[in-house]
Amino acid sequence: MTENAAKRDRTAVWSLVHAERAALADDLAGLTADRWATPSLCTGLTVREVLAHLTAAASLNPARWMLGVIRCRWDFDRQVLMRLREQLGDTPDDTLDRFRGIVTSTTKPPLPVVAMLGEQVVHGEDIRRPLGLERPYPIETVTRVAEYFAGSDLTVPAKGRIDGLRLAATDGPFATGSGPLVSGGTLALTMAMTGRRAYCADLTGDGVPILLGRCPTA
């Protein structure tokens, strides 16, 4: 890919990120105060805290990210908690307002842009599923995310989790690997390969029990 083509691709992916942020903000606009305390699919975090985490990720440039890592003595989980608390605000309305403020941000830690899209989609589902909310994701968006996670262990051990399995989407072009089959919607495949056990129920094939056994127990 040429430099100009790579730049156009990054711009296109940022557009997908911004669209997903805007959609999540709209989905949460009418949430009642008590539902903000709903446990998310991220163990130990409420849906409100996961939203604050997304805001934090869009507010950290590489230098600020590294300073936080050093401050937390290379404990990445500790930095995640520290940064989300910075963005939580005093009320759920504050949390949502802060998230709305980063909808069009292109600030990011030292990660590829597609990783930011992956974070947005996966954590968006970590929020939506417990709340009973559904989003009709554009197939282009979830396919890009699925392809990224299938080839990377950078943010979560997704590539390793699907080793020796064949994943095939029933609603789009995504397919990868060889071995026992895991089949289903692109979103469900993405969420399962990032360790979300709940989505394994939406999948079929001989490889599903194997994949389920590789997901966290929570």
Side-chain angles (χ1 to χ4, degrees):
M1 184 181 294
T2 67
E3 184 176 346
N4 285 339
K7 183 177 181 179
R8 287 194 298 271
D9 186 65
R10 286 194 297 272
T11 299
V13 176
W14 272 125
S15 294
L16 299 179
V17 174
H18 297 161
E20 289 309 315
R21 288 173 180 166
L24 182 59
D26 288 346
D27 281 351
L28 299 177
L31 207 62
T32 56
D34 58 312
R35 299 192 74 201
W36 282 100
T38 301
S40 75
L41 296 186
C42 288
T43 304
L45 298 181
T46 65
V47 297
R48 181 183 171 197
E49 289 170 329
V50 174
L51 191 69
H53 167 62
L54 286 170
T55 303
S59 305
L60 291 174
N61 59 28
R64 191 161 179 261
W65 177 85
M66 181 55 70
L67 286 173
V69 168
I70 294 170
R71 178 179 173 185
C72 293
R73 298 184 180 182
W74 299 91
D75 185 332
F76 295 101
D77 290 337
R78 181 181 172 191
Q79 167 159 246
V80 166
L81 291 174
M82 178 183 75
R83 294 305 189 189
L84 78 80
R85 286 167 183 157
E86 290 175 353
Q87 301 296 339
L88 201 59
D90 295 328
T91 67
D93 284 344
D94 288 343
T95 310
L96 183 55
D97 285 344
R98 289 173 184 235
F99 181 72
R100 286 192 183 280
I102 56 86
V103 163
T104 60
S105 170
T106 56
T107 299
K108 66 180 183 65
L111 294 170
V113 178
V114 69
M116 297 297 287
L117 180 61
E119 285 272 297
Q120 186 59 50
V121 169
V122 170
H123 287 317
E125 283 298 294
D126 288 339
I127 291 169
R128 285 188 175 101
R129 182 124 174 173
L131 293 173
L133 302 174
E134 295 184 3
R135 168 158 170 74
Y137 291 90
I139 195 63
E140 174 192 6
T141 298
V142 287
T143 299
R144 287 296 298 261
V145 171
E147 290 172 347
Y148 167 70
F149 282 119
S152 176
D153 286 327
L154 182 60
T155 54
V156 292
K159 180 181 178 181
R161 185 172 284 118
I162 62 172
D163 184 51
L165 298 174
R166 179 164 64 94
L167 274 59
T170 55
D171 59 351
F174 174 69
T176 189
S178 61
L181 176 66
V182 180
S183 180
T186 310
L187 178 65
L189 290 170
T190 298
M191 296 301 291
M193 78 172 88
T194 57
R196 276 63 178 178
R197 291 175 62 90
Y199 288 80
C200 289
D202 301 336
L203 303 173
T204 60
D206 293 341
V208 173
I210 299 171
L211 181 56
L212 182 62
R214 295 175 181 176
C215 291
T217 56

